[in-house]
Amino acid sequence: MKRAVPSLLLLICLLSCLSFKTDPPIYKKGWIDLNKNGKKDIYEDSTQPIDARVKDLLRQMTLEEKTCQMATLYGYKRILKDSLPTPDWKNQIWKDGIANIDEHLNGFLTWGKTSELDLVADVKKHVWAMNQTQRFFIEQTRLGIPVDFTDEGIRGVEAHTATGFPTQLNMGMTWDKRLVGQMGVITGKEARALGYTNVYAPILDVARDQRWGRLEEVYGEDPYLVARMGVEMAKGMQQNNQIAATAKHFAVYSANKGAREGLARTDPQVAPREVENILLYPFKKVIKEANLMGVMSSYNDYDGVPISGSSYWLIQRLRTEFGFTGYVVSDSDALEYLYNKHHVAADLKDAVLQAFMAGMNVRTTFRTPDSIIIYARQLVKEGKIPMDTINNRVRDVLRVKFKLGLFDHPYVADAEASAKYVNSAANQAVALQASKESIVLLKNKANILPLSKQLNVAVIGPNATDDDYAHTHYGPLASKSVNVLQGVQAKLGVKNVHYALGCKLVDKRWPESEILPQEPNKDEQAMIDSAATVASKSDLAIVVLGGNTQTAGENKSRTSLDLPGYQLQLIKAVKATGKPVVVVLIGSQPMTINWIDQNVDGIIYTGYPGVKGGIAIADVLFGDYNPGGKLTLTFPKSVGQLPFNFPSKPNSQTDEGELAKIKGLLYPFGFGLSYTTFAYSDLKINPLSQSVDGSVTVTFTVKNAGKLAGDEVVQLYIRDVLSTVTTYEKVLRGFDRVSLQPGESKSVSFTIVPDDLMLYNRQMQHVVEPGEFSVMVGASSEDIKLTGKFEITKTGSVTGSAIFK
């Protein structure tokens, strides 16, 4: 009976769809008569250049049709009341078309609530429904302009079921560009197979504050790493123009004052050179190298000017300087914020004027599209928005749609093939590999890890069974997941694994308890004591702690980085039993785990390890996989040390001369251990002297000096020794994940190009300044194994090479 109602609705919707007539037939051999005039227009001819097709279509469009290409219609149960087209759609504003439909039938209803409708959960029915929705725009609008189906997808495409990858933070911690590229290909191909043609990824924000709730969404705190991962992800997503990648959030978004989230995302405190060197760097690289088709404009201002109402940001920087040719969508209410938050527009109509004049192409938010479309039409008729501006904004949207092939192949051709491909075993295997590669070994005193499979173990803690991170917004919602307890049970057998919750993730008074802590009550203490008893009866305790969707995510920044609730009391009680203890940390933010770092022998950090995270964690714990992930976020000892991140200016984070504060950090950027050891040697730099427009090659050897196969993430840093402006102590300019068998050596080579050496001088010119540069090769930003130097000269001379021991 549970499926009876949806089936009835499906029949009703089917009859509604069939009530639309297409006469004469518009589907011809090799083309579609989109404007139903009986002849092949230029825009209907796939052999014509895209610019010619766009020009021909724009020529035929009315003001009403053009302005409909400047707004988003949110999908089923968001704004759309209908899962499929109905005759009433002919009375709605999208009767003249729409730019895109966002999150249609992807299953997301609101935070923590998903749809189980057949058209959502059944891939073949879902594909049919997406095709029927597209069919309305092809067959029932005058010019047949297809809709761009947009969706989220930062850990796999957001759908009821799709391949569930770890978060972007985890993908950063793999330091594996090839793997990130594979993820991009799979995300794009699955999206297109499900009917989505544009996915809001990758996120190119650079982390600046460890309290920020959205850290799970970024690759890390270094702009070079974010850029390299972003390029691979975008290229993979857009392979063969299968979908458009829309990067977010442009610009200066991830440096919120005090890491504030919610409605406070407006006031970044960042100096101009840091904007250029840190926050804009990834966008510039990914746009130029991956030819991004989409960018999302952010909520915030910069120095008093809202990004989404600024032609400086959306035209001069984005298009003129970076070469962006796709279309810009607004982040949720970014357009509305011009008048109701930033107060630079008098009302919504004025906000529409400012945003579209500034370069926004499409307003995207959880409201009906009518208001801004109607205002846009009024503003044109009032002479306030020139028709040339409207044409320019619409031209960008149409260009992307043509590039994606929507005018020639608007439908998913084979629902059966989609059902076989989406979340296939092969794709799941790639996601599982990503989960494994992202795990970071933080401590392994006396080689407590890997564990013997002959042990009788206790699995304890609030994150042992909580894998909500694998089912939340911005990725697959209902893909089958494996938690840590299940992963360990599968490894050792259920009878050899004893579980205890120990404590909940947070206490009843959290987050107030972070500043006004109280002792556990009787029931809470009983839970802790019970877990200690379970540990005392086992050979070893695996305690799974950290954060989860309650404590981090969008709108969930922290005031503390300590373990929430009574987790510290729990680990102390388990440790007091005298049994060996290993801690598994799950969570998207660095944690100030000072007591654990001092008192527990084995610690691994897993971020949000994806749908199959429990399998990956068990493989690492019991030696079936040698961890090789490295941190992409600095772990401080206290929030009182913030800001504390990489890269940093000389001495800006030093503790020298400090007499009244905690010194040092827990773990630096790039840190991560292995079950084996690696040796570095034979650093070669060629040439030693190079002109300002030349490249320098850095080569060295890395060897597995241990007894187990393993991966080493080798990292290249450089420093401008003497410059006209203060530069960073060191900047990342190369990295690679190298797999080595015991005793095996490999030569690694990086090429430093002029752009890697550039700085913004005192006149804010982006230049390479002649002089000496230090080269540092190592296993982390602080664990430098090899050093050398080269010189950049004003002349064109190129000389010498050297080997540094």
Side-chain angles (χ1 to χ4, degrees):
M1 288 299 293
K2 289 181 71 176
R3 293 292 186 185
V5 174
S7 298
L8 179 60
L9 289 174
L10 189 62
L11 177 60
I12 294 171
C13 291
L14 176 59
L15 292 174
S16 297
C17 294
L18 293 176
S19 69
F20 293 123
K21 301 294 184 183
T22 305
D23 190 31
I26 66 171
Y27 300 100
K28 312 294 184 180
K29 186 175 181 180
W31 65 285
I32 305 173
D33 186 10
L34 296 163
N35 62 3
K36 298 90 178 167
N37 66 355
K39 66 184 183 72
K40 184 188 288 188
D41 291 73
I42 293 174
Y43 86 93
E44 297 164 344
D45 186 351
S46 63
T47 66
Q48 294 291 324
I50 286 178
D51 286 346
R53 300 180 76 182
V54 171
K55 182 178 180 181
D56 180 58
L57 178 54
L58 265 176
R59 177 185 58 81
Q60 299 186 42
M61 294 174 72
T62 65
L63 175 62
E64 287 71 25
E65 290 163 335
K66 290 175 181 177
T67 51
C68 278
Q69 295 298 314
M70 298 170 69
T72 293
L73 173 63
Y74 259 85
Y76 178 60
K77 290 293 186 180
R78 308 302 297 280
I79 292 298
L80 264 179
K81 298 177 181 178
D82 312 304
S83 57
L84 290 166
T86 69
D88 183 59
W89 283 26
K90 298 286 284 185
N91 303 317
Q92 301 297 327
I93 201 162
W94 54 88
K95 68 181 183 298
D96 293 315
I98 202 74
N100 51 38
I101 299 181
D102 198 16
E103 298 187 31
H104 188 46
L105 297 173
N106 72 349
F108 182 79
L109 299 179
T110 187
W111 294 96
K113 187 176 181 181
T114 60
S115 172
E116 296 294 329
L117 187 72
D118 279 355
L119 300 184
V120 170
D122 185 295
V123 171
K124 287 187 282 188
K125 291 178 181 178
H126 170 84
V127 168
W128 175 83
M130 296 291 282
N131 282 345
Q132 289 301 116
T133 305
Q134 185 71 280
R135 194 175 299 278
F136 171 85
F137 293 95
I138 298 295
E139 297 178 359
Q140 301 304 317
T141 63
R142 188 179 72 91
L143 295 175
I145 301 174
V147 69
D148 187 11
F149 284 107
T150 54
D151 197 9
E152 302 290 350
I154 58 175
R155 50 181 181 82
V157 63
E158 183 161 16
H160 183 275
T161 303
T163 301
F165 284 87
T167 59
Q168 270 202 194
L169 177 61
N170 282 69
M171 296 307 295
M173 293 192 299
T174 70
W175 297 68
D176 190 335
K177 297 184 288 288
R178 179 195 59 81
L179 187 61
V180 170
Q182 281 185 283
M183 177 187 177
V185 171
I186 291 169
T187 298
K189 193 171 180 180
E190 288 196 351
R192 193 67 182 244
L194 290 167
Y196 302 108
T197 48
N198 191 328
V199 171
Y200 295 151
I203 293 181
L204 300 180
D205 301 321
V206 182
R208 293 286 89 193
D209 194 319
Q210 288 87 338
R211 295 167 294 181
W212 192 36
R214 304 192 80 168
L215 289 177
E216 66 195 74
E217 301 180 15
V218 304
Y219 289 118
E221 66 188 25
D222 179 80
Y224 181 87
L225 180 132
V226 172
R228 298 330 311 161
M229 295 305 198
V231 166
E232 296 303 319
M233 182 69 177
K235 282 184 174 180
M237 291 171 66
Q238 295 188 163
Q239 180 178 275
N240 300 322
N241 293 325
Q242 59 187 1
I243 65 165
T246 292
K248 52 186 186 179
H249 306 84
F250 185 84
V252 200
Y253 175 75
S254 55
N256 301 324
K257 192 174 182 179
R260 287 175 176 84
E261 272 268 70
L263 298 181
R265 289 176 269 190
T266 58
D267 193 20
Q269 306 288 294
V270 191
R273 282 185 180 80
E274 187 165 353
V275 168
E276 303 298 330
N277 292 325
I278 303 293
L279 301 177
L280 289 185
Y281 182 91
F283 282 97
K284 183 178 180 180
K285 292 297 180 184
V286 179
I287 288 168
K288 288 181 178 293
E289 295 184 36
N291 195 21
L292 268 178
M293 291 191 230
V295 161
M296 181 180 287
S297 67
S298 55
Y299 298 125
N300 55 284
D301 71 337
Y302 178 65
D303 196 24
V305 180
I307 301 297
S308 292
S310 168
S311 61
Y312 169 79
W313 289 105
L314 300 186
I315 296 178
Q316 181 178 329
R317 301 307 307 275
L318 189 60
R319 294 190 183 277
T320 305
E321 294 185 28
F322 295 176
F324 177 67
T325 60
Y327 74 88
V328 177
V329 298
S330 64
D331 189 358
S332 296
D333 278 350
L335 183 149
E336 283 76 4
Y337 285 168
L338 296 180
Y339 82 91
N340 64 18
K341 179 181 289 189
H342 297 291
H343 304 293
V344 298
D347 49 31
L348 180 57
K349 184 176 180 180
D350 190 20
V352 170
L353 172 64
Q354 292 189 32
F356 288 133
M357 290 299 292
M360 185 181 294
N361 297 98
V362 176
R363 184 274 229 139
T364 299
T365 194
F366 314 105
R367 305 167 190 261
T368 59
D370 305 52
S371 58
I372 70 105
I373 291 174
I374 292 169
Y375 281 139
R377 293 170 183 174
Q378 290 177 2
L379 289 162
V380 171
K381 292 173 182 177
E382 293 168 5
K384 294 180 179 177
I385 297 182
M387 184 55 72
D388 282 349
T389 298
I390 296 292
N391 288 340
N392 287 338
R393 303 297 173 262
V394 174
R395 183 180 292 111
D396 297 327
V397 177
L398 296 178
R399 186 187 303 112
V400 170
K401 291 184 177 184
F402 276 112
K403 194 170 183 180
L404 294 173
L406 288 174
F407 286 84
D408 308 307
H409 305 286
Y411 309 117
V412 179
D414 189 342
E416 189 74 37
S418 294
K420 290 179 180 178
Y421 181 76
V422 173
N423 202 31
S424 64
N427 291 351
Q428 289 185 45
V430 176
L432 176 58
Q433 181 66 21
S435 298
K436 294 177 182 179
E437 289 193 20
S438 70
I439 293 174
V440 182
L441 178 62
L442 297 179
K443 185 177 180 181
N444 195 21
K445 185 177 179 180
N447 294 322
I448 188 174
L449 292 168
L451 304 174
S452 167
K453 295 176 186 175
Q454 308 305 312
L455 294 174
N456 188 289
V457 304
V459 176
I460 295 168
N463 270 333
T465 59
D466 188 347
D467 56 2
D468 285 352
Y469 56 79
H471 305 291
T472 190
H473 197 17
Y474 301 125
L477 298 168
S479 298
K480 186 178 179 182
S481 59
V482 179
N483 62 40
V484 177
L485 177 62
Q486 291 168 333
V488 175
Q489 287 175 331
K491 190 71 65 177
L492 303 185
V494 174
K495 67 178 182 178
N496 296 315
V497 180
H498 311 286
Y499 166 71
L501 176 61
C503 68
K504 294 182 179 179
L505 192 76
V506 299
D507 60 79
K508 295 177 181 179
R509 296 177 55 259
W510 187 87
E512 287 79 6
S513 57
E514 291 193 336
I515 60 171
L516 293 171
Q518 290 184 356
E519 292 301 312
N521 63 29
K522 182 179 179 181
D523 291 338
E524 291 163 338
Q525 187 61 51
M527 289 176 63
I528 294 172
D529 294 341
S530 176
T533 299
V534 171
S536 68
K537 296 179 180 178
S538 304
D539 298 325
L540 176 140
I542 300 168
V543 186
V544 194
L545 306 172
N548 215 303
T549 55
Q550 284 180 274
T551 61
E554 188 172 6
N555 303 323
K556 295 175 184 175
S557 290
R558 293 282 303 279
T559 53
S560 169
L561 295 177
D562 293 344
L563 293 173
Y566 297 117
Q567 294 186 50
L568 183 56
Q569 288 93 325
L570 173 62
I571 183 61
K572 286 182 176 181
V574 173
K575 177 66 176 176
T577 65
K579 295 291 183 174
V581 179
V582 170
V583 166
V584 175
L585 296 172
I586 289 175
S588 62
Q589 293 156 316
M591 303 168 210
T592 46
I593 52 161
N594 299 288
W595 190 92
I596 293 173
D597 181 64
Q598 288 290 317
N599 294 281
V600 174
D601 291 343
I603 309 170
I604 65 171
Y605 174 61
T606 71
Y608 286 160
V611 167
K612 297 299 196 303
I615 298 173
I617 291 169
D619 280 353
V620 167
L621 287 173
F622 293 94
D624 291 319
Y625 186 81
N626 187 353
K630 303 267 188 173
L631 296 177
T632 59
L633 296 172
T634 300
F635 273 52
K637 291 181 176 179
S638 166
V639 292
Q641 296 174 294
L642 302 184
F644 205 154
N645 43 40
F646 182 89
S648 63
K649 296 287 184 65
N651 294 318
S652 65
Q653 295 179 174
T654 184
D655 290 317
E656 282 189 55
E658 293 286 356
L659 303 176
K661 66 183 292 186
I662 294 168
K663 298 181 180 181
L665 48 78
L666 278 173
Y667 314 109
F669 174 84
F671 176 80
L673 304 175
S674 171
Y675 295 155
T676 189
T677 57
F678 300 95
Y680 291 68
S681 63
D682 301 326
L683 176 65
K684 300 176 183 177
I685 300 174
N686 185 37
L688 287 177
S689 181
Q690 178 62 284
S691 62
V692 293
D693 58 354
S695 298
V696 174
T697 300
V698 176
T699 305
F700 58 94
T701 299
V702 60
K703 178 181 179 180
N704 185 343
K707 298 179 180 180
L708 296 174
D711 293 355
E712 173 69 327
V713 174
V714 295
Q715 301 159 47
L716 169 67
Y717 299 91
I718 64 172
R719 179 177 180 177
D720 192 338
V721 177
L722 179 65
S723 51
T724 60
V725 296
T726 303
T727 57
Y728 298 104
E729 286 186 317
K730 57 175 75 79
V731 291
L732 181 69
R733 285 299 181 261
F735 62 88
D736 196 12
R737 187 172 179 126
V738 182
S739 298
L740 295 167
Q741 294 296 316
E744 183 183 7
S745 297
K746 284 186 179 178
S747 178
V748 179
S749 181
F750 296 116
T751 299
I752 301 172
V753 299
D755 186 76
D756 293 329
L757 308 176
M758 298 181 85
L759 55 73
Y760 287 88
N761 65 16
R762 295 192 182 194
Q763 291 74 44
M764 282 303 286
Q765 298 165 323
H766 202 208
V767 299
V768 178
E769 292 186 344
E772 184 179 298
F773 287 82
S774 296
V775 172
M776 295 157 277
V777 172
S780 82
S781 60
E782 292 194 355
D783 186 10
I784 301 301
K785 307 290 189 180
L786 303 170
T787 60
K789 60 184 178 180
F790 62 89
E791 183 180 11
I792 296 296
T793 66
K794 293 180 181 179
T795 66
S797 62
V798 178
T799 60
S801 63
I803 298 177
F804 298 84
K805 294 293 186 181

